[in-house]
Amino acid sequence: SSNFLLPLFPSLSSTSFYTIQSREESAIKFVIWVRASRMVALRAGVCLAVMVMAFLQPCCESVVIPNAAMLEWSSYEMGAMISWNIDTMAGIQGCNVKMAALPEPKLFDSAASVDFEQWAKIMQATGIKYSVLTVKHGCGFTLWPYKTKNLRSLPTYNYTIQANAKFANRDLVAEYMAAMKKYGIKPGFYYSLGSNVYLGVAGGKASPAGTAPIPGQVIIDQETYYEVVYQQVTELLSTYQDIPEMWFDGGVPGDIRDRMIQAFATLAPNTVVFQGFGVTKNSVRWVGTETGHPKQDMWSTADGAGDPNVNGLDWFPAECDTPLQNGDSWFFNKDVGARSLTEMQSVYHDTVGNNCNLMLNYAPDPEGTVHYEQEYRELGDWVSICYPANHSRYIAHVAHPPVNSSKFELRFAKPSNIDRVILMEDQTGGECVVEHNVTVFQAGADVFTVSGKWIGHKRIVLLPNVAELVDRIVVSVGARQLCTPRLSLIAAAMCLF
């Protein structure tokens, strides 16, 4: 009997099972029964197909899909942190609430002839695709002409670039943005939420009432500080358009989070926010170190606490910030020198080659000149030779290779020596690869295999030694994946450094 189908297909109860009472009635009901049978078959087929798909991909429905803004951000790979503000003019690495006095705006006299295009040219040569300028660092000094609006305990905010007479009619932020765009670099901002020594704020907290101000300082209450932050951030977002990234050093304090959510949703829905977890879906995370050598997992997803997690339900990739100057110096320091090319090559492999955007620091001097031009250019030359954007210098490569039984293959036109393999995952459908093996073949026989976990936007696999006369590479991703893996690139290269 077919009565077991009645709960799934209730239409059968009135069309398929009955007692035939006459020849005419029999003929009519037979036609109805045939039509119903066809419907049963169709629905059963659909049901079977859904069951098969669920069996083949049981967990794909929970995979996080990144939006277009996040995919584009990952494609930039290298950004520039530009540490240049009143700290530079004072020759310090940052202000603090215990200092004797605030640096005076007059110190900016030395930068009257700043050439932002000099910055942009060097960054372009390095391979930089986007930048963030310290438009307000911890001292509280703003590089744009911010004006307070209706604040209860702060009638004016006088610690701005226009407090210097030489810049009374200039907007340094606008000048910076114009220069970056001219050379194909997307300009963004660094803004310190947690520190503003001009207002007596440290760690996101205003100074207690009755605190004696240091020379040049104004003491305000907590709510006024939140109003200042909200005004300044919204002014930046509304005045300067198409900001690729807002860099919030130290994250977003909980008490102002709701206002920041509203600001970005309304004014900059596509802007990526550094340490903006919970503020916008376009957020990226810190990796816990500024050395350029992160030790934590580099999944593109995170758990509810914002920590990297292969099963995370939020898209939250990493950004690795590091200085070129020695001694962890971010603002210009003429005495420390620059890190070597060998060291920066290692940084590149541990960041860009490990699914993390590299945010490389630039520290213009008090006159506004970027130093270490040769070191930046050498790094850029090396990247363009070893890892060309158009793949032209690779010994062999294949874009969007087909998958065959969880394996991807790269065949060489002729046997060649290689020392590294470059993998890129197509993340438009999410981060699918949980583990992978790269096997190198010579004359049809496998020589060795290098194993790893994530691939993400890019993974550079440095081979343990030079592999000679390689004719084929197989990348296997195994059965333990989050969804159907797709690679956008497999490439092999020989760089020796």
Side-chain angles (χ1 to χ4, degrees):
S1 171
S2 300
N3 287 306
F4 75 97
L5 291 172
L6 291 180
L8 294 176
F9 303 97
S11 59
L12 295 178
S13 61
S14 60
T15 59
S16 299
F17 309 107
Y18 42 79
T19 302
I20 297 176
Q21 297 178 351
S22 68
R23 184 175 298 176
E24 293 81 3
E25 193 176 23
S26 173
I28 293 171
K29 290 184 176 180
F30 177 74
V31 172
I32 296 174
W33 182 86
V34 169
R35 291 177 177 174
S37 298
R38 291 176 178 173
M39 183 60 70
V40 170
L42 177 61
R43 293 184 180 180
V46 171
C47 184
L48 178 61
V50 170
M51 292 171 63
V52 170
M53 290 176 66
F55 175 77
L56 291 176
Q57 290 184 306
C59 53
C60 286
E61 293 181 2
S62 63
V63 171
V64 184
I65 306 298
N67 60 36
M70 294 307 299
L71 290 172
E72 182 177 357
W73 178 86
S74 291
S75 73
Y76 298 154
E77 297 187 355
M78 292 179 66
M81 167 80 71
I82 308 169
S83 298
W84 192 70
N85 202 290
I86 197 75
D87 322 55
T88 308
M89 314 307 157
I92 58 178
Q93 291 297 312
C95 290
N96 64 78
V97 292
K98 296 182 179 181
M99 63 196 311
L102 273 176
E104 296 181 2
K106 182 175 174 55
L107 292 175
F108 244 92
D109 283 357
S110 61
S113 299
V114 57
D115 181 5
F116 293 106
E117 290 196 15
Q118 189 250 356
W119 304 4
K121 290 175 183 176
I122 296 175
M123 292 173 194
Q124 184 187 59
T126 315
I128 298 298
K129 297 298 187 294
Y130 66 108
S131 63
V132 293
L133 170 65
T134 52
V135 294
K136 188 198 78 68
H137 198 249
C139 297
F141 189 85
T142 71
L143 295 183
W144 82 99
Y146 163 67
K147 297 184 182 299
T148 49
K149 308 173 187 68
N150 304 318
L151 295 180
R152 56 185 182 179
S153 63
L154 185 65
T156 57
Y157 190 105
N158 290 326
Y159 205 44
T160 76
I161 190 62
Q162 286 195 320
N164 183 305
K166 291 187 176 182
F167 296 88
N169 298 310
R170 292 178 63 179
D171 180 347
L172 293 184
V173 171
E175 294 177 25
Y176 145 76
M177 294 191 73
M180 293 295 129
K181 290 179 179 179
K182 180 177 178 179
Y183 288 87
I185 299 168
K186 297 180 181 297
F189 306 137
Y190 169 114
Y191 180 95
S192 176
L193 276 174
S195 179
N196 188 319
V197 177
Y198 169 61
L199 299 179
V201 176
K205 300 298 182 181
S207 297
T211 299
I214 62 175
Q217 191 179 57
V218 178
I219 301 299
I220 62 172
D221 60 35
Q222 191 68 40
E223 182 56 33
T224 300
Y225 178 61
Y226 289 150
E227 291 177 5
V228 169
V229 169
Y230 180 73
Q231 281 192 13
Q232 291 185 343
V233 171
T234 54
E235 186 168 286
L236 286 168
L237 296 178
S238 58
T239 303
Y240 310 101
Q241 304 299 312
D242 301 322
I243 302 168
E245 182 171 350
M246 178 70 84
W247 223 84
F248 285 145
D249 198 354
V252 181
D255 292 338
I256 199 174
R257 185 172 294 269
D258 288 344
R259 278 177 270 198
M260 291 295 100
I261 291 173
Q262 178 187 10
F264 282 92
T266 305
L267 300 173
N270 294 320
T271 294
V272 171
V273 179
F274 178 78
Q275 298 199 105
F277 189 75
V279 172
T280 170
K281 289 295 184 182
N282 307 331
S283 295
V284 297
R285 63 180 174 85
W286 188 46
V287 294
T289 179
E290 295 174 344
T291 63
H293 302 290
K295 302 302 181 183
Q296 60 185 225
D297 288 349
M298 287 297 175
W299 304 109
S300 296
T301 54
D303 59 21
D307 296 322
N309 191 304
V310 61
N311 296 309
L313 298 179
D314 290 284
W315 195 262
F316 198 37
E319 186 169 50
C320 301
D321 58 313
T322 195
L324 180 72
Q325 294 183 125
N326 287 310
D328 195 33
S329 295
W330 291 84
F331 288 93
F332 179 72
N333 186 336
K334 63 181 177 60
D335 299 322
V336 296
R339 298 159 79 178
S340 69
L341 176 60
T342 300
E343 166 67 6
M344 295 313 297
Q345 290 167 343
S346 177
V347 166
Y348 183 89
H349 289 141
D350 287 349
T351 56
V352 176
N354 195 28
N355 193 34
C356 185
N357 275 23
L358 171 58
M359 178 63 78
L360 181 60
N361 190 61
Y362 290 71
D365 67 14
E367 287 71 41
T369 301
V370 171
H371 290 235
Y372 307 116
E373 179 175 353
Q374 178 179 342
E375 286 81 357
Y376 285 116
R377 289 184 179 275
E378 285 177 350
L379 176 61
D381 290 343
W382 170 78
V383 171
S384 64
I385 291 172
C386 270
Y387 307 106
N390 61 3
H391 316 319
S392 60
R393 294 178 182 268
Y394 289 140
I395 290 173
H397 76 276
V398 58
H400 301 284
V403 61
N404 182 13
S405 300
S406 299
K407 294 182 179 180
F408 301 86
E409 186 175 78
L410 172 61
R411 289 186 176 273
F412 290 33
K414 62 179 181 179
S416 303
N417 297 349
I418 65 169
D419 66 352
R420 65 200 65 199
V421 175
I422 301 93
L423 305 176
M424 297 180 71
E425 185 174 357
D426 181 347
Q427 296 188 108
T428 55
E431 185 179 36
C432 300
V433 176
V434 173
E435 57 190 14
H436 66 277
N437 297 302
V438 177
T439 303
V440 176
F441 288 82
Q442 294 174 339
D446 63 290
V447 182
F448 54 78
T449 297
V450 179
S451 300
K453 295 179 181 179
W454 58 87
I455 292 177
H457 171 72
K458 179 175 284 187
R459 190 71 183 261
I460 298 174
V461 181
L462 299 176
L463 303 182
N465 47 60
V466 174
E468 299 180 345
L469 300 178
V470 174
D471 55 20
R472 184 165 62 105
I473 291 172
V474 172
V475 179
S476 57
V477 293
R480 182 175 166 263
Q481 307 302 331
L482 296 180
C483 46
T484 302
R486 294 183 296 175
L487 299 186
S488 59
L489 178 71
I490 305 175
M494 181 71 176
C495 290
L496 293 177
F497 49 79

